[in-house]
Each structure stands twice: as C-alpha cells, then as structure tokens.
Amino acid sequence: MFTEFFFELRAQGVPVSMNEWYTLLEALERGMAYSSLIGFYYLCRAVLIKSEAYYDKFDLAFARFFEGVETPEDLPEQIWEWLERELPNDHTVRMLGDLKQYDLDTLKQMLAERLAEQTEEHHGGNYWVGTGGTSPFGHSGYHPGGIRLGGESQNRSAVKVAAERRFYEFRDDETLDTRQFQMALRKLRQFTTRLEGAKTELDLDETIEATGKNAGRLELVWTRPRQNAIKVLLLMDSGGSMLSYSQLCNQLFMAVNRSTHFKDLQIFYFHNCIYDWLYLDPSCRQSESIKTTYVLNSLDSDYRVILVGDASMAPSELVRVGGIIDWGLYNEEPGLTWLQRLRRHFEYAVWLNPIPARYWKWAEGAYTIKQIREVFPMHELTVQGLDQAVKALMARKQ
Amino acid sequence: MKKSFNQFTGSAKYIASEELRNAVNVAIALGKPLLIKGEPGTGKTMLAESIAESLNKELIVWNIKSTTKAQDGLYVYDTVQRLYDSQFQDHDVSDIKQYIKLGKLGEAFVSQEQVVLLIDEIDKADLEFPNDLLWELDQMSFYIPETKETITAVHRPIVIITSNAEKELPDAFLRRCIFHYIEFPDVKRMKEIIKVHFDNLDRKLLEQCLETFYWIRNFDNLQKKPSTSELLDWLQALVLGGIHPRKIGEEIPFLGVLLKKNQDLDALLWNVKNPRAAKRSSFYR
C-alpha cells in the first residue's frame, strides 16, 4: 500500500535499503506504530533513517507523501477528556464493509456537526465521538477513513511534525561547519608502527623468536602501537576572488588546523595561482614568503596535498610567462607549469573548489577551472566533496 | 495500547521524549541495537542507565576508547600470563580456559538474565570497529578457536550504542540498527529535566537562568556550546552562591561553569561589548 513511500524516500535521496524496509514491515505487523500517523512517523524514522543528516529529507518525503492526512488540533477540552478514558477490551471489528468512506472535508464538517450535537461521553458504538467502536471520529476504534482524535497524549499531526523540518540544518549537501569537515578529515589516515613512541604492545612473533633463541626461557618483545603516518600540505588561495568564500575556507582551515591526528601539517598561501613563491600568511606579502622550490625540495613526496582555491583567473595568469597578477612580480614559467611540477612531486594531491561543481562549466573562470582539472582531481568544497577528496588522497594517482 | 512486558517508559531521574521512548521500544521488540546520537550532554549514556533501571535489568557498560578493538569485547586470551605460568610451572597451562577472559559483550551473552549492554561512544574507536562486530551483534554468538567453544547469548541483550558523530559509521552497520537522534531540549523540556534534579527552585531564578543559557547557546562562534550538564552545574552554583535572580542576566556570575574554553569566554565578552563588529567575519582566522 505504501510501498510508494519507499520509492518516494529513495527519490529524495534517502539511502533506504530493502533490509530496513522489511524491518519496518515486521515492526508494523507487531503494531509498533500504535495505529497513529505520528507513531508511524517516529517508527519509520527510527527504522529507516540512520543519520540526522537525512532527517530533513525524510521529513520532506513524509510530508509530501502523507499530505492531506491530518488530525485536528483545536478540540474542546472536554472531548479530550472523553477520549482519554479507554474502552474496555472489545475490539471486535464488525461490518467493516458497511462503513462509509468520507473525504477529508466532509469528515471535518461532520465532526463539527457531531460535536455540536454531542453532550456526553461515548465509548463504542458507531456514531458519537469516543473511543473504540466504528464511528469515524475518536481513537482506538476502527473506521477505514475516519479522523483519529487523540489517543495517547499526542496532538501534533505527523504531517505537521514532518512539515516543521526541524532538521534542516543537518543536511549534508549544504556546506557545513568545522566539525563536519573535521569528521571528513579524520578519514585521512594511515596507520604504521614504525614511528617513535613507547613500546607497549606485545610482539608475538618476535617473542617466540627471541624465546626460541633463548633456549625456551621466556623473553618478551614489545612493539609500538600503531600511529597515523599521514602528513598534510595545505595550500590556500587567498586572492581577491576568494573573499566571497572566506567563511567557508575559514571553516576548512580551522578543521584542518584542529585535526590533531596528522603527523605533520604545513600550510601555505598563494594568490590566484602558484608561481615561484608561496606565502606564510593570507596577506601574501613578499616579506613573508618562501620559495616554492624550497617547499618542493624539503617536503617528501608522501605529503598529501590539499589545494583550496576557486581556480578562476584570467587565462594569462595560468598559461603565460609573466602572467602573474601581482604588480612588480614576474614569473619565468607559467603558473600551469608550477602546478604540474607540484603534481609530479607529490603522489597524492587534490584541489578543493568552493564554487559548487554545477557551476564549474559556466563560472567566470570556466576556462582555467577546466585547465586545472586536467592537472588535479577537483572536488567541490562541501562535506561530500571533501569526503571524495579524502578518498582520492588515500588512493594512488588516478 | 497494549502494555507488553518489556516496555520502556522513562524513569524518575530521566525524562525521555515520546520519540525516544518509541525508538527504544521498537529496538527492544525487534531485538536490534539502538544507535543514539546527539550533542554532548543530551543524556545519551544516561539513557542506558534509565532503561536498565526502568526494566529492572543489569547494565553492562563497554566504554570504547581509540585503542579498543572489537575482539576486546568478545574475549581476551592472556598469552603473556600463560607463558609466564609455563615458565614457573605452578599452574596447569594445558587448560587454556583459565586464560580466556570474556569481554563486555561476552559477559552480556553468558548472563543468565537479559541485560542492557551499553556500547559507549562507538565512534571513538577505529573506523573498522563497528564492522568487526556485525556478525556478533546479528547472530549474538561468537566462536573461541582456542578452546573450540561457541559462546551464544542465553538471552538477547538490549544493546544501546552511543555515538558523538566524530566519525561516520559504516552503512552495513547502520542498516542493522534502530537510530535515534536526541535533539537539544527546548525550554519546556529543559524545565522538566531541571525539575527532576532540583526540588524547589526559585521560579524567577529558573526563568532568568534559562533565558541567559539559551541566549549564550545561540552565539554562533562558540567552540563548545554549553550543554544540559553544564546548565545543571551552573544552577547548582547559583543556588549555593545565593545569587539574586536579577543579577544573572546582568553580569552572568560563574560564567566559567558554562563556558569551558578561554576563546569562548573572550568571544562572548567581546560580542557583548561590540554587538555590531561581531557580525563581520574575519578572513582565515
């Protein structure tokens, strides 16, 4: 019946699998939705959704799918009291076929009339508002197309709850905060035992070897626990066109800076493109600079390189000798050559672009973006993009 | 609604929202692990205690650290002890059983009564950790090759797993869990929570505190937002200090209880002094 809902969820990009769907059906069979839409809503969310990042998409899909199914909220207090008293166990459902189906508007109208007529409590029966029975109004009863009034202590309709979209800020295709960047960066690691540190783990193979050599007298050999061996080189564009992305880049910068699990972290800045000099701070002053060749020579090729920039510049800045944007500076080799040199030296490198990927072909710098993408794998600067970038950094050059 | 035997309804010390209670009951009924996420200080760990208390079951806590491996939860084979014993020959080292020590998961399996097993902060461990537990949590059994024994759960434990979302958990693992995200409590629920911890708090003091607390929480630039536990500590301090409610909004006494980081304190004070400048964002720092 509501298998369509499964497809609606998938269409919204919520990763629901058959596995979870079966679990949901099993739970429904056991009556875990407590025969109410809000109970169904919570049940679906608990079983089908596995990250708060998808709560919002789930809400959207739910609101869209179950639109029009709602429970009225402004009922007179007294009616609530009647409804709170449960019907003693007589849930035999009879003559279901005879019950009339009403559309929502008719139901609402009938309810209003019925409430005007009704003067006392009713439980069971098929006409008055109350619990049990087969009247279309009330709870714990059965009517195939009725309005549930209350039941449990809830009065919010599931569709309304869903429509509130309280989890909007958890969506992960939005650009996100430092913490989520950090999470993505945490995946950037590779364990090794060949680093410095205290030897605290028993090395079984070596112990056997040593004990054997010691004529059977026990000799324990200890080894170092595993540590992350990943070293990171972060190169950030701090040129004028990056100003509009400063907030985003700032977050990435803080995330990288706070990630304590790297063995080493080097950060340099550049202005639009990389030439002979890299800068030590974002102001890109010549007095605070270091030769790019020095960086290339002093850093091993196993540094993971993350370049951050919009890759948008005048084509001349990228491909022409002397194309450097800074007045008074001259470059013997075009920026592209420097980028290629960087790419050749470091085995793992990615470019993160704060411009959303869907604009890369149409953005102002489309030409240079295309050129640079041929040198570095480029990902957009979102959590998903960073995720992919980190994966690329863990694998060899594509 | 029929009340089944294992029905979690919250406990005296713990206010559980309806959604949370539902999620817990679904997990118990379906025999699946319940994964709880949420901001620090929203009572993720307390939940397991509350479930154990309300269902009157024993609670086994498995605290996960960055060095914890899945194997640690099943059993540990103390080879070093056995080697030492063999050297001095005062034990019968052929009996391997005495060197097999069950971990927390193993303990939960062999318990003669159903227990609540809390796997606390699963995201602290290695990325592969949850995957290594898939089979054991699914089948509720594991095999010890050293003794050729299979440990099978006598009663399927109620498994509660908490995560601070420091790492994403693998999909295969998530598919097997029931999931719930604990939202930060709103003012209304916060009052209920406070009521549980403080018997008769001055109403004005409470109002003032909550107003100030949520005002502080709404600052964007805080590195660590104050949580429920910090609010409770703060209230305690204010009550003990005998601070007049009127003073709270004006000078925020004992601010250090709410904000633990120097930068946050500075940021807040600076924000208060320069409300306009605070809106400008700086470039890269």
Side-chain angles (χ1 to χ4, degrees):
Chain A
M1 167 190 74
F2 54 92
T3 312
E4 289 296 320
F5 182 49
F6 177 75
F7 292 107
E8 175 73 37
L9 280 172
R10 295 200 54 111
Q12 287 283 339
V14 184
V16 192
S17 70
M18 284 308 288
N19 233 325
E20 285 143 337
W21 195 251
Y22 281 135
T23 312
L24 175 67
L25 294 182
E26 190 192 332
L28 283 174
E29 216 148 81
R30 296 191 190 194
M32 304 289 312
Y34 307 124
S35 335
S36 75
L37 194 57
I38 189 106
F40 178 66
Y41 167 78
Y42 289 141
L43 176 69
C44 283
R45 204 177 67 181
V47 174
L48 301 177
I49 309 300
K50 297 303 157 65
S51 164
E52 68 276 17
Y54 292 112
Y55 272 10
D56 182 56
K57 284 179 179 165
F58 172 77
D59 281 354
L60 268 181
F62 195 94
R64 191 170 300 176
F65 193 80
F66 293 98
E67 202 177 11
V69 187
E70 54 177 295
T71 45
E73 287 131 80
D74 352 299
L75 283 173
E77 270 302 305
Q78 204 188 0
I79 308 281
W80 282 113
E81 278 167 34
W82 297 343
L83 290 166
E84 263 160 30
R85 267 163 255 182
E86 300 244 353
L87 187 75
N89 258 338
D90 180 21
H91 282 297
T92 34
V93 180
R94 287 153 296 176
M95 305 175 293
L96 287 183
D98 298 342
L99 296 172
K100 276 191 214 151
Q101 293 272 3
Y102 304 98
D103 66 47
L104 194 64
D105 289 337
T106 325
L107 273 177
K108 276 184 178 167
Q109 201 190 337
M110 281 171 65
L111 174 63
E113 287 167 12
R114 200 72 47 92
L115 285 176
E117 280 177 70
Q118 189 169 356
T119 49
E120 56 188 314
E121 288 187 34
H122 275 274
H123 297 296
N126 64 2
Y127 184 75
W128 298 109
V129 178
T131 64
T134 53
S135 152
F137 307 112
H139 75 79
S140 302
Y142 187 85
H143 187 284
I147 294 185
R148 186 183 62 79
L149 300 182
E152 307 304 311
S153 61
Q154 65 230 355
N155 53 2
R156 289 194 302 172
S157 100
V159 175
K160 264 200 93 160
V161 172
E164 278 174 18
R165 297 186 64 190
R166 280 171 303 154
F167 295 96
Y168 182 74
E169 56 196 88
F170 292 118
R171 287 178 73 126
D172 73 344
D173 49 355
E174 302 293 315
T175 31
L176 287 159
D177 66 339
T178 324
R179 181 169 185 76
Q180 269 142 320
F181 277 147
Q182 254 175 303
M183 264 168 48
L185 284 168
R186 267 173 197 252
K187 288 184 196 146
L188 194 53
R189 56 184 192 175
Q190 192 169 64
F191 283 112
T192 170
T193 53
R194 276 167 300 192
L195 294 167
E196 57 286 322
K199 294 186 173 185
T200 51
E201 273 177 11
L202 182 72
D203 187 333
L204 207 54
D205 291 341
E206 286 301 314
T207 300
I208 293 169
E209 181 79 25
T211 307
K213 280 188 183 147
N214 206 11
R217 183 168 285 270
L218 188 59
E219 176 137 358
L220 298 176
V221 180
W222 302 89
T223 182
R224 293 185 184 93
R226 318 178 304 153
Q227 279 181 342
N228 195 2
I230 296 270
K231 295 174 280 188
V232 173
L233 169 63
L234 179 66
L235 298 171
M236 298 186 91
D237 183 355
S238 76
S241 56
M242 288 294 286
L243 260 172
S244 32
Y245 309 109
S246 67
Q247 178 93 21
L248 186 60
C249 294
N250 202 357
Q251 283 169 349
L252 178 76
F253 173 84
M254 291 205 293
V256 175
N257 220 358
R258 276 192 215 154
S259 296
T260 49
H261 63 284
F262 301 132
K263 192 176 171 237
D264 187 33
L265 171 64
Q266 301 280 341
I267 301 171
F268 298 105
Y269 302 87
F270 59 94
H271 191 182
N272 279 6
C273 187
I274 292 174
Y275 308 98
D276 306 59
W277 303 89
L278 286 169
Y279 302 94
L280 300 178
D281 66 38
S283 59
C284 293
R285 279 168 309 192
Q286 208 55 33
S287 56
E288 301 284 322
S289 63
I290 189 169
K291 275 199 158 171
T292 307
T293 45
Y294 175 80
V295 173
L296 284 174
N297 291 337
S298 61
L299 300 185
D300 295 337
S301 62
D302 62 348
Y303 269 83
R304 305 304 204 264
V305 183
I306 303 175
L307 290 123
V308 183
D310 56 3
S312 305
M313 56 197 99
S316 61
E317 289 176 57
L318 189 62
V319 296
R320 267 185 50 192
V321 172
I324 192 164
I325 190 168
D326 290 283
W327 194 255
L329 285 180
Y330 185 78
N331 56 312
E332 296 279 351
E333 287 165 305
L336 196 59
T337 310
W338 278 107
L339 293 179
Q340 282 160 345
R341 187 169 293 152
L342 209 69
R343 182 70 176 123
R344 273 200 306 277
H345 179 75
F346 295 105
E347 279 180 86
Y348 310 86
V350 288
W351 189 293
L352 287 173
N353 197 330
I355 301 177
R358 59 183 183 277
Y359 299 133
W360 287 353
K361 280 207 175 106
W362 318 106
E364 220 177 312
Y367 175 76
T368 48
I369 290 178
K370 183 167 168 283
Q371 290 281 314
I372 290 174
R373 282 185 74 183
E374 281 171 15
V375 184
F376 294 102
M378 193 179 285
H379 300 277
E380 57 179 1
L381 184 47
T382 56
V383 170
Q384 277 176 4
L386 184 60
D387 240 21
Q388 289 160 358
V390 164
K391 270 184 201 142
L393 283 176
M394 297 302 294
R396 293 266 156 186
K397 266 180 212 178
Q398 291 102 338
Chain B
M1 181 176 85
K2 262 192 298 176
K3 290 243 182 242
S4 65
F5 179 63
N6 269 342
Q7 193 84 41
F8 172 66
T9 52
S11 62
K13 276 268 169 86
Y14 189 86
I15 305 285
S17 68
E18 185 198 343
E19 310 153 62
L20 179 56
R21 286 199 306 269
N22 270 6
V24 171
N25 288 328
V26 168
I28 295 175
L30 298 178
K32 286 181 182 288
L34 175 65
L35 175 65
I36 298 286
K37 261 174 141 184
E39 257 185 68
T42 39
K44 297 186 288 294
T45 309
M46 289 270 290
L47 172 70
E49 288 168 21
S50 162
I51 294 174
E53 193 193 322
S54 96
L55 300 181
N56 204 12
K57 293 188 188 304
E58 194 198 337
L59 174 69
I60 295 181
V61 183
W62 183 14
N63 272 311
I64 307 298
K65 302 190 181 97
S66 62
T67 50
T68 308
K69 291 187 201 91
Q71 185 66 35
D72 302 345
L74 307 180
Y75 70 95
V76 177
Y77 172 30
D78 195 347
T79 35
V80 176
Q81 187 63 47
R82 188 167 175 230
L83 283 170
Y84 272 128
D85 284 352
S86 74
Q87 197 89 96
F88 300 111
Q89 298 188 342
D90 52 354
H91 274 74
D92 177 19
V93 290
S94 64
D95 179 18
I96 299 179
K97 256 190 187 164
Q98 56 182 326
Y99 300 105
I100 300 280
K101 298 201 174 81
L102 287 181
K104 294 292 180 189
L105 198 60
E107 256 179 60
F109 283 2
V110 297
S111 168
Q112 288 307 308
E113 279 173 28
Q114 191 183 36
V115 296
V116 178
L117 173 68
L118 169 66
I119 303 180
D120 208 8
E121 310 200 40
I122 195 166
D123 52 331
K124 282 227 181 108
D126 207 67
L127 281 173
E128 282 306 308
F129 177 85
N131 274 341
D132 295 345
L133 281 180
L134 280 185
W135 171 265
E136 285 75 15
L137 286 177
D138 240 13
Q139 302 298 318
M140 291 287 166
S141 75
F142 60 90
Y143 179 66
I144 305 181
E146 284 87 354
T147 54
K148 299 194 176 59
E149 251 186 314
T150 303
I151 305 274
T152 310
V154 187
H155 299 281
R156 216 179 164 88
I158 298 169
V159 184
I160 310 292
I161 300 167
T162 71
S163 164
N164 275 328
E166 287 188 6
K167 262 170 229 151
E168 285 199 42
L169 300 169
D171 288 342
F173 179 78
L174 290 175
R175 273 202 290 277
R176 288 166 171 82
C177 294
I178 302 296
F179 172 77
H180 183 78
Y181 180 86
I182 302 187
E183 275 180 278
F184 195 83
D186 55 9
V187 180
K188 191 167 152 251
R189 175 146 294 131
M190 189 58 98
K191 278 185 186 164
E192 289 174 38
I193 295 172
I194 291 170
K195 217 192 244 170
V196 171
H197 292 268
F198 292 91
D199 275 343
N200 37 13
L201 206 60
D202 183 56
R203 203 174 49 81
K204 267 191 201 146
L205 179 84
L206 180 64
E207 296 287 334
Q208 264 305 332
C209 282
L210 285 178
E211 194 181 307
T212 315
F213 176 75
Y214 280 95
W215 175 74
I216 292 177
R217 259 190 71 86
N218 277 340
F219 274 114
D220 289 335
N221 327 356
L222 294 187
Q223 292 185 7
K224 193 195 168 304
K225 290 188 172 181
S227 66
T228 314
S229 54
E230 273 128 16
L231 174 64
L232 292 175
D233 288 348
W234 190 47
L235 281 169
Q236 186 75 47
L238 292 173
V239 170
L240 289 177
I243 304 291
H244 192 274
R246 200 162 4 99
K247 275 190 173 173
I248 293 170
E250 286 164 15
E251 36 190 86
I252 321 180
F254 308 123
L255 186 55
V257 180
L258 288 179
L259 297 176
K260 305 285 171 65
K261 296 201 170 192
N262 263 340
Q263 298 102 299
D264 285 353
L265 277 171
D266 293 346
L268 184 75
L269 295 176
W270 190 75
N271 269 308
V272 174
K273 278 183 206 147
N274 316 295
R276 236 206 246 144
K279 283 186 183 153
R280 293 195 299 264
S281 65
S282 58
F283 192 62
Y284 290 146
R285 212 177 271 271

